[in-house]
Amino acid sequence: MVRIVVILMTVKLEEYIRERAFGLGFGAVGFAEVSPSRSTEAFREWLANKYCAGMHYLERHAALRSDPRNLAPQARSMIVVGARYPFEQTGCAISNFARGADYHPVLKEKLAQLAGSIAGKCGAENIGPICVDSDPLPEREWAVRAGIGWIGRQGSVVSPEMGCCFFLGELLLNIKVEHSPEITNQCGDCDLCLKACPTGVIMPENQLDARRCVSYLTIEHRGEINPEISAAFGNTVFGCDRCTSVCPWNRRGNAPIMPEFNIATGAVFSLEKLSALDNIGFKKQFQKTPVERMSFERFSRNVGIAIRNTKK
Ligand code: SF4
Ligand code: SF4
């Protein structure tokens, strides 16, 4: 009898959290039991192969990433949420994910609201910390463990509700909740993302060599870019949507796009307009978007490459 009551209370709490998260605009919510990461060895191998390119912070964070309890020693469960952004393939120079608000503060604020709204049920002392993207947590693994989706061939998490164009966020809990069932990989014999990659960096086992990835090179890489590689960038100035926007699961899911990221672009980001921006215009145009994190020098380098590519 006692056991039945405990289970009913647990289910109620999960449903309560889900309802609150969906109310904040998240497209998927799942729960995972906290334990050591399963991907530590594969991640170390990836680093040893130098596939992380210049993202040396990943090497520095490697030990921390191996267990969420390195961030929160009392953590027992993790809430993982997904926030969907537009997926249409438009050939725009600025990637789909970067046209709306910067997702870091948006997701952190929404997860803080979620934490506040469930504090009465969980106990405020049992909630936190919040993690989004840059925190030392293997987010994709935790999304899989929380039943959000599976890791697709291109290395992104694919969700039946959201496809593969969404941001992830996590909220750690010091209490145990029932974890969500994991979803079987449903890529089947599809290889659209592999075929869409202009530099052929997607390898077996969902591994990706960032040294030739357009997204990494345009967003994070400092300095010059090998012209043999940048010739494949097309009109790209920031990011690369090719391997995610072709995924058929984008069109199967019904989850709403989070309003903060649902920005109409039209001609605003045409190469012609981007090339006319000076430093002040760049800062004004991209304030509070992910592009703002890039220096004007890097932006100008990328615009120059895109112009050269489109004149060929
Ligand atoms: S982001 Fe672009 S370059 Fe990188 S793996 Fe995907 S398609 Fe290839
Ligand atoms: S495009 Fe195809 S292979 Fe690639 S992640 Fe989507 S379903 Fe999987």
Side-chain angles (χ1 to χ4, degrees), residues 90-104:
T90 60
C92 180
I94 304 295
S95 189
N96 287 326
F97 84 87
R99 295 185 214 151
D102 186 345
Y103 58 95
H104 298 87

Side-chain angles (χ1 to χ4, degrees), residues 18-32:
R18 273 182 206 283
E19 198 183 295
R20 291 292 173 285
F22 287 136
L24 288 164
F26 290 112
V29 187
F31 304 90

Side-chain angles (χ1 to χ4, degrees), residues 161-228:
E161 289 89 22
M162 301 184 291
C164 57
C165 295
F166 59 92
F167 306 114
L168 286 166
E170 301 80 28
L171 184 57
L172 288 152
L173 299 177
N174 296 346
I175 55 171
K176 192 168 165 54
V177 297
E178 191 177 330
H179 63 85
S180 312
E182 294 188 26
I183 300 175
T184 312
N185 187 311
Q186 293 173 55
C187 282
D189 57 6
C190 174
D191 62 356
L192 288 174
C193 51
L194 269 72
K195 287 180 178 153
C197 180
T199 52
V201 296
I202 305 171
M203 298 177 289
E205 308 288 326
N206 313 326
Q207 290 222 347
L208 197 147
D209 183 351
R211 293 172 298 186
R212 292 174 62 86
C213 174
V214 182
S215 193
Y216 163 75
L217 289 168
T218 55
I219 297 173
E220 302 227 27
H221 177 74
R222 293 159 196 245
E224 292 303 305
I225 299 174
N226 182 338
E228 281 179 29

